Amino acid sequence: MRGRVITQWLAGLLLLLSVTAVFLPSASAASAPPAAEKSAGPAVVVIPVKETVEEALTAFLERAFKEAKEAGAEHIVLVVNTLGGKVESAIEIGELIRGSDIPTTAFVEGKAVSAGTYIALNADYIAMQPGSTIGAAAVVDGSGTIVDNPKTVSFWVKEMTEAAKLNGRNPDIAAAMADVSATVSLSEQIGRDKKKGEILSLSASEAEKVGYSELTADNVQAVVEWLNLDNRTMIEIEPTIAENTARFLIHPVVATVLLILGIAGVAIELLVPGFGAPGIIGILSFGLYFFGSYITGLAGMEAVVLSVIGIVLLIIELFVPSFGILTLLGSASIITGVVIAAPDLKTGFVSIGIALVVATVIVVLFARTNKGRGIWNKFILRDRLTTEEGYLSADVRTTLVGQAGTALTPLRPAGTALIGGERIDVVTSGEFVAAGSDVVVVKAEGTWIVVREKESETK
């Protein structure tokens, strides 16, 4: 039964894992609208950039830009409203925008902060909604504290200034947005300077005055009209349900919880077999963990395959002891698969470490409190058939000891004797006893009834 249950949820694992408004210019004169490009297609594609800048957003934008190219789009409008995110993801998105053959406009709908500023700077044009802001692009750690590592700051400032230079924007302003030690004089344009120790942010009107925005507009339609593309079809590309789900699943906390459930569920099913539900929960948890990583492009099928191989090796260890070799190989395979599927090595190792500790506690507590209560245990024979438990494997004939009888057949040394009116298979200690001879029972052990010839007994 144990093997059948394991086989059933292993098959489920393999099946599951093989298995997604009107244009209103500002009071200040807006920059002259660019001449519409020669028609490369019939549509303007609108893509939202309204989430944290991380791997899921990168994967979504890669798909969106690909679909825009396949549709022969004439222009892409990125609707930016983000507080930023990971530097690595921002750089990848910047490369995606720069490498596209389709002209791009970033429309800052609310905030283009930190990594969002960098994304906007890589676009051909920037338009901003009244009340929106751009800037405050200093690198911060997980707690929101500004990072002062010289190498990190220098690298990020270089990326920001180069992005600003792409379309003739003042690189000193970009540096002032990213580096607290940078200074820039803006009093003539906006009436204030950026001093050392501050981080520069610009409002929509300020950005337009210093050349960081070509237009202040209320909505996307106004931007499209400014681009002289208002007679084109507008196509909006939104994240799919699978992409939104994946974004949730790869969150470090969610991913760690999935790993805890996955490890604990599989371990409980292996060590305390017969429940079924823990194994199913474990399989689904592992499946969701790798689904999120696969959809967001963090990992390919190799991570899934490694983890499946690891689980299979652990199962084999239960039936084919290998002195721990299979356990070590299986554990290493699972850990490698999990780490590969994580956003980065540090996050992967932290998640798997926490998951192993918590899962171990869960498994120990579960094993102690639920041993023998599995639903399948109703079909498993657990009673020991011992004499102490009241079970007898054969009739115990100790009451025959001392009784006399007659050999019905020659005893050579086994044969049949009539004892107490019952034909009984008997055996001697090795001597021959002729048929008809009187015998007496001297020992009864299980099915063995030992007799001796009565005459020799009386001598």
Side-chain angles (χ1 to χ4, degrees), residues 26 28 126 128-135 169-170 173 177 186-194 199-216:
S26 63
S28 60
I126 297 178
M128 297 180 67
Q129 193 178 58
S132 62
T133 57
I134 187 170
R169 297 183 175 95
N170 186 348
I173 295 177
M177 291 177 172
L186 300 173
S187 56
E188 293 184 4
Q189 295 108 314
I190 62 175
R192 62 186 175 94
D193 296 329
K194 191 278 182 184
I199 290 295
L200 181 63
S201 293
L202 298 173
S203 65
S205 60
E206 291 175 334
E208 192 172 348
K209 290 176 182 178
V210 301
Y212 262 55
S213 170
E214 283 73 38
L215 175 71
T216 301

Side-chain angles (χ1 to χ4, degrees), residues 21-25 31 33-34 44-46 75-80 104-109 125-130 213-231 234:
V22 179
F23 166 62
L24 289 175
S31 303
V44 174
V45 174
V46 180
H75 204 95
I76 293 175
V77 176
L78 297 176
V79 183
V80 182
T104 305
T105 294
F107 175 50
V108 182
E109 194 175 61
Y125 310 108
I126 297 178
M128 297 180 67
Q129 193 178 58
S213 170
E214 283 73 38
L215 175 71
T216 301
D218 286 339
N219 47 49
V220 173
Q221 181 61 45
V223 175
V224 174
E225 290 178 2
W226 177 75
L227 290 167
N228 293 324
L229 297 173
D230 50 304
N231 59 340
M234 290 179 59

Side-chain angles (χ1 to χ4, degrees), residues 74-207:
E74 188 171 352
H75 204 95
I76 293 175
V77 176
L78 297 176
V79 183
V80 182
N81 188 1
T82 178
L83 295 175
K86 295 184 177 180
V87 170
E88 298 86 352
S89 297
I91 292 175
E92 290 180 9
I93 295 172
E95 293 174 351
L96 175 67
I97 297 172
R98 296 195 303 270
S100 175
D101 297 329
I102 307 172
T104 305
T105 294
F107 175 50
V108 182
E109 194 175 61
K111 297 178 180 63
V113 177
S114 190
T117 301
Y118 178 78
I119 292 173
L121 288 177
N122 280 276
D124 297 285
Y125 310 108
I126 297 178
M128 297 180 67
Q129 193 178 58
S132 62
T133 57
I134 187 170
V139 180
V140 298
D141 57 23
S143 63
T145 303
I146 295 178
V147 175
D148 57 2
N149 183 291
K151 291 184 178 180
T152 301
V153 174
S154 177
F155 169 78
W156 182 235
V157 170
K158 185 65 175 178
E159 290 291 329
M160 286 285 291
T161 56
E162 290 301 314
K165 291 177 183 180
L166 287 174
N167 296 290
R169 297 183 175 95
N170 186 348
D172 293 336
I173 295 177
M177 291 177 172
D179 186 3
V180 294
S181 64
T183 60
V184 62
S185 177
L186 300 173
S187 56
E188 293 184 4
Q189 295 108 314
I190 62 175
R192 62 186 175 94
D193 296 329
K194 191 278 182 184
K195 300 177 182 179
K196 190 173 182 178
E198 300 174 345
I199 290 295
L200 181 63
S201 293
L202 298 173
S203 65
S205 60
E206 291 175 334

Side-chain angles (χ1 to χ4, degrees), residues 32-372:
E37 305 288 339
K38 290 184 179 180
S39 180
V44 174
V45 174
V46 180
I47 306 173
V49 184
K50 298 183 178 183
E51 302 291 342
T52 301
V53 179
E54 35 74 51
E55 293 81 7
L57 179 61
T58 304
F60 162 63
L61 290 178
E62 288 175 348
R63 175 181 69 83
F65 270 73
K66 181 180 179 181
E67 291 185 7
K69 183 176 181 179
E70 292 174 348
E74 188 171 352
H75 204 95
I76 293 175
V77 176
L78 297 176
V79 183
V80 182
N81 188 1
T82 178
L83 295 175
K86 295 184 177 180
V87 170
E88 298 86 352
S89 297
I91 292 175
E92 290 180 9
I93 295 172
E95 293 174 351
L96 175 67
I97 297 172
R98 296 195 303 270
S100 175
D101 297 329
I102 307 172
T104 305
T105 294
F107 175 50
V108 182
E109 194 175 61
K111 297 178 180 63
V113 177
S114 190
T117 301
Y118 178 78
I119 292 173
L121 288 177
N122 280 276
D124 297 285
Y125 310 108
I126 297 178
M128 297 180 67
Q129 193 178 58
S132 62
T133 57
I134 187 170
V139 180
V140 298
D141 57 23
S143 63
T145 303
I146 295 178
V147 175
D148 57 2
N149 183 291
K151 291 184 178 180
T152 301
V153 174
S154 177
F155 169 78
W156 182 235
V157 170
K158 185 65 175 178
E159 290 291 329
M160 286 285 291
T161 56
E162 290 301 314
K165 291 177 183 180
L166 287 174
N167 296 290
R169 297 183 175 95
N170 186 348
D172 293 336
I173 295 177
M177 291 177 172
D179 186 3
V180 294
S181 64
T183 60
V184 62
S185 177
L186 300 173
S187 56
E188 293 184 4
Q189 295 108 314
I190 62 175
R192 62 186 175 94
D193 296 329
K194 191 278 182 184
K195 300 177 182 179
K196 190 173 182 178
E198 300 174 345
I199 290 295
L200 181 63
S201 293
L202 298 173
S203 65
S205 60
E206 291 175 334
E208 192 172 348
K209 290 176 182 178
V210 301
Y212 262 55
S213 170
E214 283 73 38
L215 175 71
T216 301
D218 286 339
N219 47 49
V220 173
Q221 181 61 45
V223 175
V224 174
E225 290 178 2
W226 177 75
L227 290 167
N228 293 324
L229 297 173
D230 50 304
N231 59 340
R232 308 299 197 272
T233 300
M234 290 179 59
I235 301 174
E236 296 186 15
I237 299 179
E238 297 286 347
T240 64
I241 295 176
E243 288 169 333
N244 284 329
T245 302
R247 184 191 302 277
F248 170 76
L249 294 176
I250 66 171
H251 188 281
V253 174
V254 177
T256 302
V257 171
L258 289 175
L259 288 177
I260 292 172
L261 293 176
I263 296 172
V266 171
I268 289 172
E269 196 62 48
L270 291 176
L271 302 178
V272 191
F275 284 85
I280 294 173
I281 293 174
I283 292 171
L284 290 176
S285 297
F286 273 123
L288 289 173
Y289 176 84
F290 289 110
F291 169 80
S293 297
Y294 182 77
I295 292 297
T296 55
L298 291 174
M301 286 303 296
E302 69 277 1
V304 181
V305 172
L306 279 172
S307 297
V308 172
I309 291 175
I311 293 175
V312 172
L313 290 176
L314 293 180
I315 295 174
I316 294 176
E317 174 70 26
L318 296 177
F319 301 97
V320 184
S322 64
F323 305 100
I325 295 177
L326 291 178
T327 298
L328 290 176
L329 291 176
S331 300
S333 184
I334 293 175
I335 292 174
T336 301
V338 169
V339 172
I340 289 177
D344 54 71
L345 291 178
K346 180 180 179 181
T347 301
F349 280 115
V350 169
S351 294
I352 193 68
I354 295 174
L356 284 172
V357 173
V358 177
T360 299
V361 173
I362 293 175
V363 172
V364 171
L365 293 177
F366 192 93
R368 289 182 176 180
T369 58
N370 293 278
K371 187 175 181 180

